[in-house]
Amino acid sequence: MAQRTGGAPVELMRSKDEDVFLAFDNRIRRLVELHVLRGGSTLDVALKRSAFDRARQASGIRGHSFMRILEVGEDQGLVYYTSNLNDGEFIDDYIKRRGALAPATALAMVYQLLDDLLQLKGCQRLVSGMHLDRVLVTTLEDTFLQLRIFDYGLSQMDGGEEAAGHARLVVEVCRLIFRLLTGQADSEGHPDRFPALTQLPMNLRITVRTALTVPANAPTSIEKLRDDVREAFSALVSSIQARNLRKQLVVNAALLPQSHLQELLLENVPVETIMGTRFRIEDADHTRRYPFSIPAVNAKVEQSVTVHLLPPSRIVEKTRYEAVPLQMWRFNPERHPNILRSLSLWESPDWTFLTEEREPGFALSRLMAERLTLNPAEVLALMRQIRAGLDQAVECGVQRVDLHPSNILLRVGKNGPLLAREFERLMQKRLDTWPAFVVKLRPHMTMRSLYEPLLVDTDIAETPQEEHLLDRDFRHRSFATLAAYLLTGERLGGGAPQFAESVPEAVAAYMRECMELTRRAGKSPSPGDFIENFERLLSGPTVDLANRLRGSSVAIEEMESVGSVSDFDEDWSGFGAEEKPFEDTALSPINRVMKTHHFTPLNPEKRSLPWAALAAAAGVVLGMGAWMLIPGEKPVETVVSSVQERPLTPALTKSASAETSPSPKMMAEKKVEEAEGKQLVAPTVPAKPVLVAVKTPVMKSQPPDTLLPATTRAADPPAVMAVVPAPQAVVEADTPADVTLEKTSANALLPLKVPVTIRRAIIPTQEEIERMKQGYVENRTGRLPALSTASPMPPLNKFNP
């Protein structure tokens, strides 16, 4: 137990239902707070069981807004628990000393508190019993403001009703908001009289007004209150960059809370009086910010140093800790660049003063407070230098080095007036873009090392081992735990670490395995093996979400469809019968039941038309021929071959003149055709369409589809132009006996034989023309296309031009 100058125990003001004392835990070698429930009164069985259950539940909480419980026990009927030492200023004293806060700063602090409170979803019994009316204003890594809960209500029986406990917490948070915004303790029933409250958005204003005037009607949703606070913060801050909560919580001289622990241990003696004339304090603000690490200048040699105040023997006995390792005389700055050197150690009747060299840079804890987490490549760069520092410490005779982020310094930058601005800029960049920096480990003791909780337990009491084996195991476990802390940003307790999306799955699995091994004595990997495996997994192929979406690596279960119906099941049902099971087939983004096809280039020596193409072409030709040979209503047709021009047969003439007597002129034409048709053989011509001009009179009883001879007189009425796709002869009849053919090369390729049908032109007879004039016969011919001939005919009448 820590004692005052007169021998009385050092009491700490915490919860009104608990007696809290300053003590030193010999097992973990740390200064702690000793909480005795109910002021030392005996607890009944139900309350004792409830307190034990909730205290053990609280021991697993890891968060900046909560007091960390280290141990729960009972001694002589008294229930107690120990927690880490919390330093800061109570909210009432803080507001009374400096007044109301800016609305953005106040809402940012409250939002951070509520957000951490909502993370305890599985600890509703513990959350319902907490008290938020008296919180502690502290600093996070000496840089950001933070509200911390230190009263878990373990001295009282849990209410059991979750809604009632949450309603009480909402009322207490609303009172806290009123206290921070107005600077007053009580609204006296008129919260609308304060402009700081009337300027809030409607949702938060109504909630605060209801909680202050009628607490029984206050809402019970902490999440809804958190969202309202976030909305109010966004409404008050216009700049997007300023909406970052950390930007509003940066500590300056006006916002810095006082250290009640410094006042308690120094007993209100000024630091300048304790330093005397040997050291000159460089900055008073830094003195308040770092109550036990004071930047100063050695007055004799004008050297920049950091003076660490270690507690007197009435607080912690000198035999309980070692300020400077005894074998540090082996230290050589050239051989051990990763070790932070201590310069001197001297003691006064009350305090011990330890000085160390001060170089430009900042602690790793400051970087973690700004960045929250680091990337795997950055962690690898840091852990390599930390491993070198551990090897150098062993060489110097230091077997145990506390690998806490506050004891690891990053030496970077240059001294000068722009040093603080340079640090702010560096913290926003990746470590691989920094200039050359050096990681330094602090092997000596500081006041912060005496009350900051360790990242890993001191020893695992499973099997008794020798001292050097315990020290080696401690180094291995601390190294793996520090790497997990840098990747997650959280001090891990008993749960599994949760890594960000930037950490590859293989690295995350390896880190979980290492964290499991740290709970077993002698099983943790050495720093060399850890870095080798970490780098191998980090440089190996990764299978992340982006690669899976791109299709480079697709899981089998993600390709299978559940409950869907494919339109091609019947088409592919015959495949896959002789194939191997699905498990043996190679992974492919194509349907696994489809057979693979190998396409081979066509051999130019054996290039030929496949039989399937020949069969298809023959089918097309036969189909076209059958379609053209189908008879119509009164089919009287004559097919003219595309290779040979055959003369018209007498049967065609008889069929054409069955009802109408032919004129002498037509009989003469027929004789000419019979005489010349025997000698007409169409030569091969190029495959291009040819126009065939047909000019012939139409008889009255002849149907429109009846074919006529291909040669007619030039004096007959205009005929119809027909497009013939096969090689044809151009037939133009200026006289009945004038027939000419186009001759082409005999070496031209013979095209497919396509039958050609020449239909007669629908030309009205003279009798029909006379009847048309009288209006008795309808014009069936319509408008005929004009025929380009050598001797065009004038229009017959106005009805048929």
Side-chain angles (χ1 to χ4, degrees):
M1 299 287 293
Q3 297 179 358
R4 293 181 178 272
T5 306
V10 180
E11 295 189 31
L12 303 175
M13 298 301 298
R14 294 293 184 263
S15 175
K16 59 182 179 180
D17 297 330
E18 300 174 353
D19 289 342
V20 184
F21 304 96
L22 181 63
F24 185 81
D25 194 334
N26 294 322
R27 184 180 62 87
I28 62 175
R29 300 177 183 179
R30 287 293 187 271
L31 281 170
V32 296
E33 297 179 4
L34 179 61
H35 298 252
V36 182
L37 300 183
R38 286 290 181 94
S41 303
T42 304
L43 305 181
D44 56 2
V45 178
L47 181 58
K48 185 183 300 184
R49 184 184 298 109
S50 175
F52 268 105
D53 293 342
R54 287 180 289 164
R56 291 192 179 97
Q57 196 175 28
S59 62
I61 297 177
R62 301 292 185 270
H64 302 298
S65 299
F66 306 101
M67 173 182 60
R68 181 177 180 181
I69 293 182
L70 304 175
E71 183 183 357
V72 184
E74 180 182 4
D75 191 333
Q76 299 179 2
L78 302 179
V79 179
Y80 69 92
Y81 66 91
T82 60
S83 67
N84 63 305
L85 184 57
N86 301 279
D87 191 17
E89 191 174 3
F90 293 106
I91 186 65
D92 295 337
D93 300 335
Y94 183 76
I95 295 298
K96 187 184 297 182
R97 179 177 59 85
R98 67 161 316 280
L101 295 178
T105 304
L107 294 177
M109 295 172 65
V110 175
Y111 176 83
Q112 196 174 38
L113 178 67
L114 292 176
D115 191 58
D116 291 344
L117 195 65
L118 287 175
Q119 301 300 324
L120 307 180
K121 296 181 180 179
C123 308
Q124 295 302 325
R125 290 182 59 192
L126 181 63
V127 171
S128 301
M130 291 182 177
H131 293 278
L132 306 181
D133 51 351
R134 293 186 73 241
V135 293
L136 199 66
V137 182
T138 182
T139 57
L140 180 61
E141 305 301 340
D142 303 321
T143 306
F144 305 103
L145 286 175
Q146 182 76 45
L147 295 178
R148 184 167 297 172
I149 303 173
F150 57 85
D151 190 358
Y152 290 165
L154 300 179
S155 297
Q156 300 176 0
M157 194 70 181
D158 53 340
E161 295 184 3
E162 181 179 336
H166 288 184
R168 180 182 56 80
L169 291 178
V170 169
V171 173
E172 292 180 355
V173 171
C174 291
R175 290 175 182 173
L176 179 62
I177 294 174
F178 176 81
R179 190 86 169 94
L180 294 173
L181 292 179
T182 62
Q184 299 186 15
D186 190 8
S187 63
E188 298 179 357
H190 301 284
D192 293 334
R193 293 187 297 106
F194 300 93
L197 296 181
T198 56
Q199 294 176 1
L200 296 176
M202 182 179 62
N203 293 337
L204 183 60
R205 185 173 70 249
I206 293 176
T207 303
V208 173
R209 180 197 303 163
T210 304
L212 296 179
T213 55
V214 188
N217 296 335
T220 61
S221 176
I222 301 178
E223 185 175 3
K224 176 65 167 53
L225 179 60
R226 191 272 309 267
D227 297 339
D228 294 343
V229 171
R230 179 69 180 185
E231 177 188 1
F233 174 79
S234 302
L236 293 175
V237 180
S238 58
S239 176
I240 297 179
Q241 296 181 353
R243 290 183 182 179
N244 186 3
L245 296 174
R246 289 295 177 90
K247 299 297 182 182
Q248 301 294 334
L249 299 177
V250 176
V251 173
N252 52 32
L255 296 177
L256 184 66
Q258 292 183 354
S259 171
H260 77 283
L261 186 61
Q262 184 188 37
E263 297 177 356
L264 185 66
L265 297 182
L266 295 180
E267 296 182 352
N268 297 326
V269 178
V271 178
E272 293 79 3
T273 304
I274 296 177
M275 292 292 183
T277 59
R278 184 171 182 178
F279 298 101
R280 184 176 66 251
I281 298 178
E282 196 172 53
D283 192 353
D285 293 339
H286 286 78
T287 304
R288 296 175 56 198
R289 180 175 299 185
Y290 310 105
F292 301 103
S293 299
I294 304 169
V297 177
N298 193 333
K300 292 183 178 181
V301 296
E302 294 295 329
Q303 182 183 9
S304 297
V305 296
T306 302
V307 180
H308 294 280
L309 297 180
L310 297 178
S313 57
R314 57 184 173 84
I315 302 296
V316 182
E317 296 181 5
K318 303 299 183 183
T319 58
R320 299 297 182 183
Y321 68 93
E322 189 176 16
V324 179
L326 297 178
Q327 298 181 3
M328 276 301 294
W329 55 269
R330 300 179 181 176
F331 173 78
N332 187 350
E334 296 180 358
R335 293 180 54 188
H336 312 118
N338 298 109
I339 300 297
L340 186 62
R341 181 176 55 171
S342 59
L343 301 177
S344 63
L345 176 68
W346 54 282
E347 297 182 358
S348 69
D350 286 337
W351 289 90
T352 299
F353 297 87
L354 187 149
T355 60
E356 68 180 15
E357 57 182 354
R358 181 157 56 94
E359 297 176 330
F362 46 86
L364 180 59
S365 58
R366 174 68 179 86
L367 178 64
M368 290 299 296
E370 182 72 32
R371 292 280 303 275
L372 297 181
T373 59
L374 299 182
N375 295 326
E378 298 175 302
V379 174
L380 182 61
L382 284 175
M383 299 307 290
R384 285 174 177 170
Q385 295 199 41
I386 292 175
R387 176 203 173 187
L390 287 177
D391 296 340
Q392 297 168 17
V394 173
E395 187 177 350
C396 292
V398 183
Q399 298 294 328
R400 291 201 178 200
V401 177
D402 185 7
L403 292 183
H404 194 277
S406 61
N407 285 335
I408 301 175
L409 275 73
L410 307 178
R411 186 187 184 279
V412 63
K414 300 178 180 180
N415 289 320
L418 300 180
L419 185 61
R421 179 178 297 181
E422 184 181 0
F423 288 166
E424 294 292 338
R425 185 167 58 252
L426 285 176
M427 291 177 190
Q428 303 300 327
K429 298 180 180 179
R430 291 174 55 96
L431 291 178
D432 49 9
T433 62
W434 284 16
F437 65 95
V438 180
V439 179
K440 288 182 172 288
L441 306 183
R442 178 183 285 136
H444 46 270
M445 188 62 63
T446 63
M447 184 66 180
R448 192 164 188 171
S449 301
L450 287 175
Y451 69 82
E452 283 282 354
L454 290 169
L455 290 179
V456 64
D457 294 336
T458 305
D459 293 318
I460 300 177
E462 290 185 358
T463 56
Q465 297 181 0
E466 297 181 4
E467 186 68 21
H468 71 282
L469 296 179
L470 292 175
D471 294 340
R472 186 183 63 179
D473 187 40
F474 178 78
R475 291 194 302 269
H476 296 176
R477 292 189 294 115
S478 300
F479 192 83
T481 307
L482 177 63
Y485 170 76
L486 296 179
L487 289 174
T488 60
E490 297 294 337
R491 298 180 181 180
L492 305 175
Q498 300 295 330
F499 297 95
E501 293 291 338
S502 59
V503 181
E505 184 61 30
V507 177
Y510 178 69
M511 291 304 304
R512 295 188 183 98
E513 180 183 356
C514 291
M515 292 307 299
E516 184 65 27
L517 294 177
T518 56
R519 301 182 180 95
R520 306 175 186 176
K523 299 298 183 181
S524 299
S526 63
D529 296 340
F530 180 88
I531 290 180
E532 181 181 356
N533 295 331
F534 191 90
E535 186 176 9
R536 176 177 54 82
L537 295 175
L538 189 61
S539 60
T542 59
V543 181
D544 53 3
L545 180 60
N547 290 335
R548 293 172 63 184
L549 292 178
R550 284 194 296 265
S552 59
S553 177
V554 183
I556 297 179
E557 59 270 11
E558 296 187 4
M559 296 177 56
E560 295 178 349
S561 178
V562 180
S564 62
V565 179
S566 175
D567 296 334
F568 306 100
D569 287 342
E570 297 180 357
D571 299 338
W572 304 106
S573 59
F575 293 92
E578 304 87 12
E579 298 294 332
K580 297 181 180 179
F582 292 158
E583 291 77 5
D584 298 335
T585 57
L587 186 61
S588 172
I590 309 176
N591 194 337
R592 293 170 298 182
V593 299
M594 293 177 60
K595 287 189 174 181
T596 57
H597 299 274
H598 299 280
F599 297 94
T600 57
L602 188 62
N603 190 358
E605 299 179 357
K606 299 180 180 180
R607 185 174 299 173
S608 61
L609 198 60
W611 64 270
L614 293 176
V620 171
V621 173
L622 294 178
M624 293 179 61
W627 175 77
M628 291 182 180
L629 293 176
I630 294 176
E633 296 178 1
K634 295 180 179 180
V636 180
E637 299 179 357
T638 300
V639 178
V640 182
S641 173
S642 61
V643 180
Q644 179 182 4
E645 289 290 340
R646 297 179 181 178
L648 297 177
T649 59
L652 179 60
T653 307
K654 291 181 181 181
S655 174
S657 58
E659 297 180 3
T660 306
S661 298
S663 60
K665 187 186 300 184
M666 295 181 61
M667 295 298 296
E669 291 175 358
K670 189 185 81 166
K671 292 179 180 181
V672 173
E673 288 178 350
E674 291 178 355
E676 296 178 358
K678 298 179 181 180
Q679 301 176 358
L680 290 178
V681 178
T684 58
V685 296
K688 61 181 180 179
V690 181
L691 295 179
V692 179
V694 182
K695 292 176 282 188
T696 181
V698 180
M699 288 157 284
K700 177 180 179 181
S701 60
Q702 188 175 2
D705 295 336
T706 304
L707 296 180
L708 294 180
T711 57
T712 56
R713 292 183 302 112
D716 290 339
V720 181
M721 287 191 303
V723 180
V724 182
Q728 291 290 342
V730 178
V731 182
E732 292 184 358
D734 291 337
T735 60
D738 188 9
V739 179
T740 61
L741 296 175
E742 277 189 7
K743 296 184 179 180
T744 58
S745 176
N747 297 327
L749 297 177
L750 291 176
L752 297 177
K753 296 181 180 181
V754 181
V756 179
T757 303
I758 303 177
R759 303 178 183 271
R760 76 170 178 85
I762 306 175
I763 301 177
T765 60
Q766 188 67 27
E767 183 180 357
E768 289 178 341
I769 293 174
E770 294 297 335
R771 298 187 64 181
M772 287 179 186
K773 291 180 180 180
Q774 299 177 5
Y776 295 109
V777 179
E778 183 181 358
N779 185 4
R780 297 181 291 105
T781 61
R783 186 179 180 87
L784 297 176
L787 179 64
S788 177
T789 57
S791 57
M793 294 296 296
L796 297 178
N797 49 50
K798 63 180 181 179
F799 298 101
N800 189 15

